[in-house]
Amino acid sequence: MRRGLRLAAWALALAGTAAAEPAAYDYARFELPAGWVRNDETRFASYSPPGGGVTLSIFTRFGDDDAEDTLEDFIERAEKGETVLDGGKAEDISNDDFDVYRQERRVRDADGRIVRRFYLAADKDDRATLVVIEGDEANYGGVEREARGIVSSLTLQDASEPAPEMREVEERAGEGGLDGFYVAAAKRGFLDVATMRWAYGERLEALYFDPLGAVYRGAPARFDIDVVHSCAAATAWRCGRYLIEGSTLVLRWADGTVERRALTREGDAIRLNDRLFSLASGGGASPAGAFAMVDLFNAGDWPAKDADREPIAYSIRFLDDGQFQLRGVDGFRSQRVSARTVAAGRFKIDGHSLTLVYASGASEVVGFARFPSGDGERFLIGGKAFVQP
């Protein structure tokens, strides 16, 4: 049974917003205004408008506390270290179906930015749902109407029902026209999954295009396999098909959602909704020196501390004689982690593939890409970003 979370008490005359596309995450269903796209986060769903600067995040199955306690605990942890300028008070807007609380806050973060946030917590079937609109004050007001429109369209299925199913996206005539792995970098706010606190910094968005019309969202662990058909129900939002319609790139994802982005070509790069995506190359001269792993995709799949609570610094060093040293983890596939773990062996780069042959005799092939030039060399290795310290 699906029951709506449509709260007229704070809807603020949201009728008349731009044409919207249906979207889904876990048991949440809502509508995205034209141009809004999903960010590459793995433990929650995050969306941003065409100009960036603001994110709307959705957390489901967040706990079994009531909505007021869930909201209070989340804010206390997520805003730790920030200066509250206007905390407001949590407002009870519960209805017959849901225990619901909302709160608006204005804070100064660690970087000195003035940030506005709108929190909404709803308790359904003892599985809390949290929705947060977050952005710097300069951008927040410009998209507040649309962001609140997304929240007002929110409906929640019973939590026992399955997440959006995997839908095989049918091919259409004229699809294709792009080829390769494209990366865009921009700074924005996000909830750091390693600390569960709000953070602000560089985030990467990656799109891998097949010339025949398939597309993969995110950084694949390998490029030498059928990446664009590797998704399952939980990752259906990553795989889909694309079609260029004049100056619009239409992306149809396997979770049933559709994105439309303004498209222009600039040499080897493409601009989507004013964000420049540069082509990441493979092969070339072998990297040299040490590179540290930085979680620019906010995946949190390698822990920050080991079983002894010691902090782990992951790195890979490429030596001149074809040798490598991997620290913090004994391989991209096994992922046995420890602050003292060191694995070594030989490496070979062939296009977008990096073969690692370990001294133990084991071997693995991981994806390899050179990020577009910037401050120092940066590589994608096994779906993770490595940069010069």
Side-chain angles (χ1 to χ4, degrees), residues 217-283:
R217 181 186 353 231
R222 291 177 65 171
F223 292 94
D224 60 337
I225 58 177
D226 189 7
V227 173
V228 295
H229 293 96
S230 61
C231 295
T235 55
W237 61 282
R238 290 193 180 277
C239 289
R241 299 195 64 81
Y242 70 95
L243 176 67
I244 299 174
E245 294 182 344
S247 59
T248 300
L249 179 67
V250 182
L251 301 159
R252 297 181 297 123
W253 302 105
D255 64 354
T257 60
V258 178
E259 294 176 359
R260 289 177 170 84
R261 307 197 195 187
L263 166 68
T264 57
R265 299 176 186 258
E266 301 184 13
D268 290 336
I270 57 175
R271 189 174 294 276
L272 302 176
N273 285 355
D274 294 329
R275 293 196 67 187
L276 185 67
F277 285 75
S278 299
L279 186 62
S281 62

Side-chain angles (χ1 to χ4, degrees), residues 181 183 223 280-283 351-353 367-371 378-381:
F181 180 58
V183 179
F223 292 94
S281 62
H352 280 294
S353 293
F368 174 83
R370 298 175 183 274
F371 287 157
R378 310 200 303 177
F379 301 98
L380 182 82
I381 303 176

Side-chain angles (χ1 to χ4, degrees), residues 25-56:
Y25 171 65
D26 196 7
Y27 51 74
R29 303 292 183 270
F30 46 96
E31 293 184 345
L32 284 179
W36 283 66
V37 298
R38 182 164 179 171
N39 299 313
D40 188 8
E41 311 282 4
T42 55
R43 298 195 186 182
F44 58 97
S46 170
Y47 303 85
S48 292
V54 174
T55 58
L56 184 144

Side-chain angles (χ1 to χ4, degrees), residues 6-314:
R6 299 183 184 275
L7 306 174
W10 63 273
L12 300 180
L14 291 166
T17 54
E21 292 284 353
Y25 171 65
D26 196 7
Y27 51 74
R29 303 292 183 270
F30 46 96
E31 293 184 345
L32 284 179
W36 283 66
V37 298
R38 182 164 179 171
N39 299 313
D40 188 8
E41 311 282 4
T42 55
R43 298 195 186 182
F44 58 97
S46 170
Y47 303 85
S48 292
V54 174
T55 58
L56 184 144
S57 303
I58 300 176
F59 307 85
T60 58
R61 306 176 193 270
F62 204 76
D64 57 3
D65 289 336
D66 62 39
E68 185 177 18
D69 290 342
T70 297
L71 180 61
E72 181 180 351
D73 292 345
F74 182 88
I75 291 176
E76 180 180 2
R77 178 171 48 183
E79 293 187 355
K80 187 175 183 179
E82 297 182 335
T83 302
V84 180
L85 304 177
D86 184 1
K89 296 182 68 173
E91 180 183 359
D92 184 356
I93 53 173
S94 302
N95 56 34
D96 293 337
D97 294 324
F98 297 95
D99 177 20
V100 185
Y101 283 78
R102 55 162 279 185
Q103 188 169 1
E104 297 190 52
R105 297 173 67 83
R106 185 170 173 265
V107 305
R108 179 181 290 109
D109 69 9
D111 294 312
R113 299 184 315 133
I114 305 300
V115 179
R116 290 179 58 189
R117 298 191 183 109
F118 170 87
Y119 293 93
L120 184 81
D123 175 49
K124 183 180 188 299
D125 303 328
D126 293 326
R127 291 180 175 91
T129 302
L130 270 163
V131 183
V132 188
I133 306 169
E134 196 263 7
D136 59 271
E137 200 162 42
N139 293 295
Y140 188 95
V143 297
E144 181 179 11
R145 179 184 177 88
E146 286 188 337
R148 292 190 182 226
I150 299 171
V151 183
S152 71
S153 72
L154 183 70
T155 63
L156 303 179
Q157 292 180 315
D158 286 340
S160 61
E161 294 187 19
E165 63 182 6
M166 179 77 178
R167 307 178 187 180
E168 192 68 30
V169 184
E170 296 181 359
E171 297 184 20
R172 290 182 179 175
E175 289 181 326
L178 296 172
D179 185 13
F181 180 58
Y182 289 80
V183 179
K187 288 187 175 181
R188 64 173 174 86
F190 60 97
L191 188 79
D192 187 338
V193 297
T195 63
M196 292 301 289
R197 297 180 187 174
W198 291 117
Y200 177 79
E202 184 182 18
R203 313 293 302 123
L204 295 183
E205 182 179 1
L207 292 167
Y208 177 68
F209 294 100
D210 180 285
L212 298 180
V215 61
Y216 179 88
R217 181 186 353 231
R222 291 177 65 171
F223 292 94
D224 60 337
I225 58 177
D226 189 7
V227 173
V228 295
H229 293 96
S230 61
C231 295
T235 55
W237 61 282
R238 290 193 180 277
C239 289
R241 299 195 64 81
Y242 70 95
L243 176 67
I244 299 174
E245 294 182 344
S247 59
T248 300
L249 179 67
V250 182
L251 301 159
R252 297 181 297 123
W253 302 105
D255 64 354
T257 60
V258 178
E259 294 176 359
R260 289 177 170 84
R261 307 197 195 187
L263 166 68
T264 57
R265 299 176 186 258
E266 301 184 13
D268 290 336
I270 57 175
R271 189 174 294 276
L272 302 176
N273 285 355
D274 294 329
R275 293 196 67 187
L276 185 67
F277 285 75
S278 299
L279 186 62
S281 62
S286 294
F291 298 84
M293 194 278 283
V294 181
D295 191 1
L296 297 181
F297 296 100
N298 198 31
D301 48 358
W302 281 2
K305 295 183 179 180
D306 63 15
D308 297 323
R309 306 303 296 168
E310 293 187 41
I312 307 175
Y314 303 98

